[in-house]
């Protein structure tokens, strides 16, 4: 079938003006476009919808229009992707609004802060502040149609001569971020065009429609950027959040794609609702959806709402803005995942279909923003006024971050809260608050601020879903149906970062930190002229980074497995590092250590003797010499690209140590000689089919010769299957009784006396535990082992999925971390009742010696989304101390 490209003018003829009462024009005529605004074709050399534009082309088009229409468009860059591509947005509006753009942020902040502006002043502001909508496209690089729709939307707003468009821009600023994930899109586009033959294939089995690993969805480090809005680890989202703080919009839309057999999804969103989203915001979502529906009806486009895509987890792009008072939502278009796609009903979905629909919903939303300007502004004000009031009335008025056991985590959390736009206070000398004395450099957050709900949604230990919704999900589970929860149910940052946060009823008045709170507070060297050596405590992330940096710098580093008390410098916990002058024969040693302390945040203490009063001496057998290990991670099919990416990111960018990514085809066919540590991330399909008997033997021989194999999450299940780990996985505790072996079709009658008994009766035998969408669970740590040197006795882990392992028997290895007892096990989120009973005392971390080497098995990955910072020290021990123990 020949595919006919359609130009903008023909395309626009498909769009009908909505029939809303307040719309001024009822015209069904095609739009008339101003000739002096360049469309895509003269700038890029092809008509819109005929090509999946590269990130360079999209940037080029936006730049061209911002230069030729500078009175009405301003382009602002907010960062660079990992691969160096620009991250940017444009503000589009009438010239008088663009001229006022430098004041936009300050006006919105004033409007949204009752501590700064009175009711009267706010009313005054509302007369002049424009409405606003922020349209974000292409966060998933293989969801291709939305960035094209962004170009079309920009062109339309600038070139269309209709009264509607003029009136929108007269009172509304439209922010367009056309491409949130340029690296992912670049990956998709290059591979898509590399597979195309004589014609664009619509067959879903074709190479065009099946991307190789890793797909274009994720960014360079293979993160799903649409989950990163709470931990802000990736430049794409860090920059986006900073941009939204500078230019807070009233409406925010994140435009996606979904499976090609679907239609179009827009707001209102599905249950469960996050309780910190207000009724008023949900009403606005309804307005937007209702107006979109008018436009879609007018154009004859199918759509649906409400059934899927909840906003419970705050780490989506379409959730995060909600907690600062914007009204955020997600749109989803069926994806052609190429130029055309044959749907199950036999029809063909084209790339242009997606572009048109995203274009239509974009315009409809702009119209809502414009028509509802006054209501949106006053509700924004109300939202933030009520936030300050609720914070002021809260019985936990002040949040205090002063965790002497985890200074690195405390610093990271304070820095992150500030990055989220939360006001953080600090003290330059010790203060007494709520009968407790806090040292200088502690952090305090007053809840009575406009971002009150954002603070709560990030810090609360538990946020409950509606009881009736949870009951419904339990019913579905009983009928072996999937639950309707779209993402994790627990994400409390203090728990994930292992930082003790205290709350106090009192109001605390301290200076709000004006400058940037750096995520790492520079460490220092005390007594740099020390004669004998230096001691570095390594029980938090600063210490973990220090190990990595010192080994990379070629220093001789030793690590004590036990605590010790130095005669002058005091007591140090297990895991502490020792660098002696004798072994580091370098006149610049103190200088090098000063640089490392500054970069990593670890403090270094110089000592003039090695005499200890208690615990091992520097030359003890309980002090291990570390050598810089070569660390590798399994890469490519069947590895989960997310898990591989998170793992590589955590080691490379959070610990600062390089990782060799080895494709599984190499892993099963090459020698592992020279590799010290091999990580097997979680996998999509089992590793079992990838390892032949001989390649598995090769791997096992490598471990037995001294290799450290680390399995993460479900890779631990594979280790059991492969005979590398001497335990087993468990069925659900209450799975039904297996049938007896009798072959008869007739069996004695069983009386069933209640509905509950019926439920018991029909339970599947040998059933796997119910799948957990993602909760936080408490873990206890056995501190009497070198691998847990310096690790606290309690940690919080993720629990996702349904793999539960039996503990290792003591003759096979050690269970070094296990899920907490009874009701203590759940730290945050939702665990199904059966698995909650099953989890206590089951292992999270096991170590099994194999010959000279060992297997370190995490049953839940500590690198999940790179936001479980509390696990960095344990991971560092696994990577740096374990290989020292095998030598
Ligand atoms: Zn998406």
């Amino acid at each position: 079938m020949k595919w006919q490209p359609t130009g903008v003018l023909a395309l626009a003829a498909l769009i009908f003006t909505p029939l809303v009462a307040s719309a001024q024009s009822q015209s069904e005529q095609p739009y008339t476009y101003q000739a002096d605004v360049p469309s895509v074709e003269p700038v890029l050399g092809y008509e819109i919808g005929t090509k999946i534009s590269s990130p360079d082309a999209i940037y080029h088009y936006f730049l061209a229009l911002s230069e030729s229409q500078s009175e009405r468009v301003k382009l602002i860059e907010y960062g660079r992707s990992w691969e160096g591509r620009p991250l940017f947005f444009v503000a589009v509006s009438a010239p008088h609004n663009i001229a006022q753009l430098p004041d936009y942020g300050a006006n919105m902040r004033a409007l949204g802060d009752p501590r700064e502006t009175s009711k009267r002043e706010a009313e005054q502001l509302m007369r002049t502040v424009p409405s606003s909508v922020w349209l974000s496209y292409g966060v998933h690089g293989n969801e291709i149609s939305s960035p094209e729709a962004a170009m079309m939307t920009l062109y339309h707003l600038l070139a269309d001569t209709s009264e509607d468009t003029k009136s929108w821009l007269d009172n509304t600023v439209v922010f367009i971020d056309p491409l949130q994930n340029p690296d992912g899109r670049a990956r998709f586009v290059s591979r898509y065009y590399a597979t195309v033959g004589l014609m664009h294939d619509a067959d879903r089995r074709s190479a065009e429609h099946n991307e190789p690993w890793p797909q274009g969805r994720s960014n360079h480090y293979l993160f799903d950027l649409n989950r990163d809005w709470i931990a802000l680890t990736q430049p794409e989202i860090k920059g986006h959040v900073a941009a939204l703080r500078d230019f807070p919009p009233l409406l925010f839309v994140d435009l996606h794609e979904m499976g090609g057999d679907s239609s179009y999804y827009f707001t209102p969103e599905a249950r469960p609702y996050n309780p910190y989203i207000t009724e008023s915001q949900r009403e606005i979502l309804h307005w937007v959806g209702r107006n979109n529906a008018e436009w879609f009806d007018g154009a004859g486009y199918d759509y649906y709402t409400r059934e899927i895509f909840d906003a419970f987890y705050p780490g989506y792009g379409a959730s995060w803005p909600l907690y600062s008072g914007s009204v955020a939502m997600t749109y989803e278009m069926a994806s052609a995942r190429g130029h055309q796609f044959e749907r199950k009903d036999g029809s063909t979905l084209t790339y242009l279909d997606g572009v048109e629909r995203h274009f239509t919903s974009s315009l409809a939303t702009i119209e809502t923003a414009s028509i509802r300007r006054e209501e949106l502004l006053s509700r924004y004000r109300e939202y933030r006024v009520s936030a300050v009031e609720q914070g002021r009335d809260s019985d936990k008025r002040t949040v205090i971050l002063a965790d002497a056991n985890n200074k690195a985590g405390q610093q990271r959390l304070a820095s992150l809260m500030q990055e989220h736009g939360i006001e953080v206070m600090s003290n330059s000398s010790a203060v007494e608050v709520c009968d407790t004395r806090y040292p200088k450099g502690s952090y305090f957050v007053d809840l009575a601020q406009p971002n009150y709900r954002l603070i709560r949604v990030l810090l609360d230990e538990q946020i409950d879903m509606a009881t009736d919704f949870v009951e419904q999900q339990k019913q579905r589970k009983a009928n072996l149906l999937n639950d309707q929860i779209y993402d994790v149910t627990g994400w409390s940052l203090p728990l994930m970062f292992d930082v003790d946060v205290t709350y106090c009823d009192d109001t605390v008045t301290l200076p709000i930190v004006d400058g940037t709170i750096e995520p790492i507070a520079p460490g220092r060297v005390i007594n740099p002229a020390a004669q004998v050596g230096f001691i570095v405590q390594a029980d938090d992330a600063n210490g973990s980074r220090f190990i990595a940096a010192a080994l990379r710098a070629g220093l001789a580093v030793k690590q004590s497995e036990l605590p010790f008390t130095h005669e002058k410098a005091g007591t140090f916990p297990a895991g502490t590092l020792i660098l002696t002058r004798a072994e580091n024969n370098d006149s610049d040693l103190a200088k090098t250590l000063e640089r490392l302390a500054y970069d990593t945040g670890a403090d270094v203490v110089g000592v003039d003797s090695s005499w200890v009063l208690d615990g091992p001496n520097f030359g003890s057998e309980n002090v291990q010499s570390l050598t810089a290990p070569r660390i590798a991670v399994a890469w490519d099919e069947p590895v989960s690209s997310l898990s591989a990416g998170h793992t590589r990111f955590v080691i490379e960018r959070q610990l600062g140590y390089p990782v060799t990514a080895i494709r599984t085809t190499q892993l099963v066919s090459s020698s592992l000689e020279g590799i010290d540590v091999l990580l097997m991330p979680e996998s999509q399909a089992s590793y079992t089919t990838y390892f032949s008997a001989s390649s598995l033997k090769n791997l096992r021989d490598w471990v037995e010769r001294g290799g450290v194999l680390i399995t993460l999450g479900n890779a631990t299940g594979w280790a059991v299957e492969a005979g590398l780990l001497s335990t087993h996985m468990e069925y659900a505790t209450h799975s039904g009784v297996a049938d007896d072996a009798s072959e008869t079709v007739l069996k004695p009658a069983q009386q069933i006396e209640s509905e509950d008994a019926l439920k018991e009766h029909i339970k599947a035998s040998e059933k796997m535990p119910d799948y957990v969408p993602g909760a936080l669970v408490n873990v206890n740590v056995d501190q009497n082992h070198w691998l847990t040197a310096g690790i606290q006795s309690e940690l919080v882990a993720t629990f996702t999925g349904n793999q539960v392992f039996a503990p290792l028997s003591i003759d096979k290895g050690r269970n070094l971390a296990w899920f907490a007892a009874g009701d203590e096990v759940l730290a945050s989120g939702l665990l199904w009742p059966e698995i909650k009973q099953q989890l206590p005392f089951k292992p999270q971390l096991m170590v099994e010696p194999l010959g000279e080497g060992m297997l370190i098995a995490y049953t839940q990955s500590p690198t999940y989304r790179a936001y479980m910072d509390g696990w960095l020290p344990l991971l560092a021990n696994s990577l740096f101390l374990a290989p020292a123990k095998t030598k």
Side-chain angles (χ1 to χ4, degrees), residues 708-765:
V708 175
L709 180 65
I710 302 177
T711 56
L712 306 178
N714 69 3
T716 296
W718 161 75
V720 172
E721 245 180 287
L724 297 164
L725 182 63
S726 309
T727 185
H728 59 266
M729 282 188 285
E730 294 182 344
Y731 287 121
T733 311
H734 297 290
S735 66
V737 183
D739 255 340
D740 64 35
S742 148
E743 285 180 16
T744 173
V745 293
L746 281 170
K747 292 181 183 174
Q750 282 180 288
Q751 200 173 335
I752 299 174
E753 285 170 336
S754 68
E755 231 177 273
D756 284 346
L758 172 63
K759 279 181 194 157
E760 275 306 309
H761 190 80
I762 61 175
K763 263 190 182 156
S765 59

Side-chain angles (χ1 to χ4, degrees), residues 572-790:
F572 293 89
T576 294
L577 309 175
I578 297 156
L579 297 95
T580 64
R581 283 229 183 248
E583 287 168 317
N584 288 283
N585 194 8
D586 178 355
S587 54
D588 283 343
L589 179 62
K591 229 181 204 166
T592 306
L593 291 176
E594 264 165 14
R595 179 173 59 82
L596 298 189
Y598 187 90
D599 291 347
T600 65
D603 286 331
V604 177
V605 182
V607 287
D608 295 311
S609 80
S610 66
W611 187 248
V612 298
L613 302 176
D614 189 26
N617 287 95
F618 294 1
S620 157
E621 289 206 349
N622 288 310
V623 175
Q624 297 299 328
S625 289
L626 308 184
T627 44
R630 183 176 295 185
I631 299 174
V633 62
W635 205 249
D636 213 331
E637 302 276 359
V639 183
S640 148
S641 62
L642 290 171
S643 184
H646 297 159
T647 301
R648 191 181 197 184
F649 175 82
V650 167
I651 300 171
E652 291 196 338
R653 302 290 177 170
Q654 291 186 333
L655 293 178
Y657 200 85
V659 173
T660 302
I662 303 185
R663 293 192 192 279
T664 42
T665 46
Q666 293 293 317
L667 200 59
V668 299
S669 63
S670 313
S671 157
L672 291 165
E673 224 43 61
I675 305 288
D676 300 295
V677 179
L678 172 64
L679 292 118
M680 300 295 284
E682 296 180 274
S683 64
Q684 291 157 323
S686 171
Y687 287 114
T688 304
T689 50
Y690 281 75
F691 280 89
S692 65
S694 71
S695 56
L696 191 59
K697 183 176 180 303
N698 188 31
L699 177 70
R700 192 184 182 101
D701 288 349
W702 168 78
V703 178
E704 289 181 348
R705 286 196 307 274
V708 175
L709 180 65
I710 302 177
T711 56
L712 306 178
N714 69 3
T716 296
W718 161 75
V720 172
E721 245 180 287
L724 297 164
L725 182 63
S726 309
T727 185
H728 59 266
M729 282 188 285
E730 294 182 344
Y731 287 121
T733 311
H734 297 290
S735 66
V737 183
D739 255 340
D740 64 35
S742 148
E743 285 180 16
T744 173
V745 293
L746 281 170
K747 292 181 183 174
Q750 282 180 288
Q751 200 173 335
I752 299 174
E753 285 170 336
S754 68
E755 231 177 273
D756 284 346
L758 172 63
K759 279 181 194 157
E760 275 306 309
H761 190 80
I762 61 175
K763 263 190 182 156
S765 59
E766 300 183 345
K767 172 182 160 293
M768 285 301 286
D770 286 329
Y771 192 95
V772 176
L776 297 178
V777 291
N778 288 309
V779 165
N780 293 327
V781 176
D782 174 357
Q783 293 173 298
N784 299 310
H785 191 271
W786 57 263
L787 188 57
T788 54

Side-chain angles (χ1 to χ4, degrees), residues 215-231:
Q215 298 183 351
R217 177 180 171 90
S218 51
N219 75 341
H220 174 81
Y221 266 104
L222 311 186
F223 276 59
D224 183 338
L225 294 176
N226 198 31
R227 302 293 183 278
D228 192 46
W229 288 71
I230 56 172

Side-chain angles (χ1 to χ4, degrees), residues 139-140 143 217 226 256-257 332:
V139 72
H140 293 136
E143 298 177 1
R217 177 180 171 90
N226 198 31
H256 292 255
E257 282 188 348
E332 298 268 356

Side-chain angles (χ1 to χ4, degrees), residues 289-336:
R290 191 68 194 82
N291 195 45
N292 287 358
E294 295 282 349
W295 283 66
F296 273 58
D297 286 346
Y301 298 154
D302 270 354
Y303 66 88
Y304 70 98
T305 62
R306 295 184 187 89
E307 291 162 83
I308 187 175
F309 305 121
D310 67 64
F312 192 74
Y313 172 63
Y316 308 121
S319 308
W320 182 86
L322 282 158
Y323 305 102
S324 301
S326 300
V327 177
M329 60 210 88
T330 188
Y331 295 169
E332 298 268 356
M333 170 60 203
S335 182

